[in-house]
């Protein structure tokens, strides 16, 4: 048995993003543990969490709303990545890799949301 969201590529990629950001945040300085580290972890986890929550027992419009929350969380992750780069916690290559992941997940989620009635 599976929950239907487990088969969604956007959920799977959202799960990967959460794990990647968790690992990345653990490399930030200790002074960021309650600030940027915590924020990027929570925002990235929210991507998959909102997809799963919205998919269960929700109407189409309600699911679309939760997908919107997921998209906003992706934007929050991107802003955290910019902050991490500006503070020199990550290099340009790392930034570009995760930025592209976020951009791809965002576009996939928007396309999926646009198909829901």
């Amino acid at each position: 048995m599976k929950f239907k969201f487990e088969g969604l590529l956007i959920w799977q990629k959202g799960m990967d993003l959460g794990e990647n950001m968790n690992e990345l945040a653990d490399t930030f300085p200790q002074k960021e543990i309650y600030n940027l580290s915590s924020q990027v972890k929570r925002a990235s986890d929210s991507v998959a969490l909102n997809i799963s929550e919205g998919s269960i027992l929700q109407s189409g419009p309600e699911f679309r709303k939760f997908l919107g929350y997921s998209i906003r969380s992706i934007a929050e992750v991107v802003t955290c990545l910019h902050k991490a780069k500006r503070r020199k916690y990550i290099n340009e290559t790392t930034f570009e890799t995760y930025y592209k992941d976020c951009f791809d997940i965002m576009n996939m989620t928007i396309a999926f949301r646009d198909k829901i009635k």
Side-chain angles (χ1 to χ4, degrees):
M1 290 177 56
K2 285 176 85 169
F3 287 92
K4 69 179 183 178
F5 61 80
E6 293 175 295
L8 295 174
L9 186 57
I10 57 172
W11 179 82
Q12 294 165 9
K13 289 196 173 285
M15 290 291 290
D16 291 342
L17 180 67
E19 298 312 306
N20 291 337
M21 290 301 101
N22 188 60
E23 288 178 20
L24 182 66
D26 285 346
T27 69
F28 294 172
Q30 184 67 23
K31 68 181 182 179
E32 292 288 3
I33 194 167
Y34 299 113
N35 294 313
L36 192 59
S37 296
S38 174
Q39 192 69 28
V40 74
K41 287 178 179 186
R42 287 182 289 114
S44 62
D45 283 346
S46 288
V47 175
L49 289 167
N50 279 302
I51 293 166
S52 61
E53 185 177 356
S55 73
I56 301 294
L57 299 174
Q58 304 293 341
S59 64
E62 191 72 9
F63 190 13
R64 287 175 52 85
K65 182 170 80 171
F66 277 90
L67 291 170
Y69 297 152
S70 183
I71 292 163
R72 288 184 200 101
S73 292
I74 294 166
E76 193 173 344
V77 172
V78 169
T79 300
C80 288
L81 289 170
H82 277 285
K83 289 282 189 186
K85 185 174 79 166
R86 284 176 172 223
R87 294 175 187 176
K88 301 192 184 343
Y89 303 154
I90 61 174
N91 62 32
E92 184 67 29
T93 302
T94 300
F95 173 83
E96 289 294 332
T97 298
Y98 292 126
Y99 185 92
K100 183 184 181 320
D101 289 346
C102 289
F103 191 79
D104 292 345
I105 297 168
M106 180 194 67
N107 284 324
M108 291 170 63
T109 304
I110 290 169
F112 181 77
R113 183 189 64 181
D114 289 348
K115 291 180 181 178
I116 297 173
K117 302 294 179 208

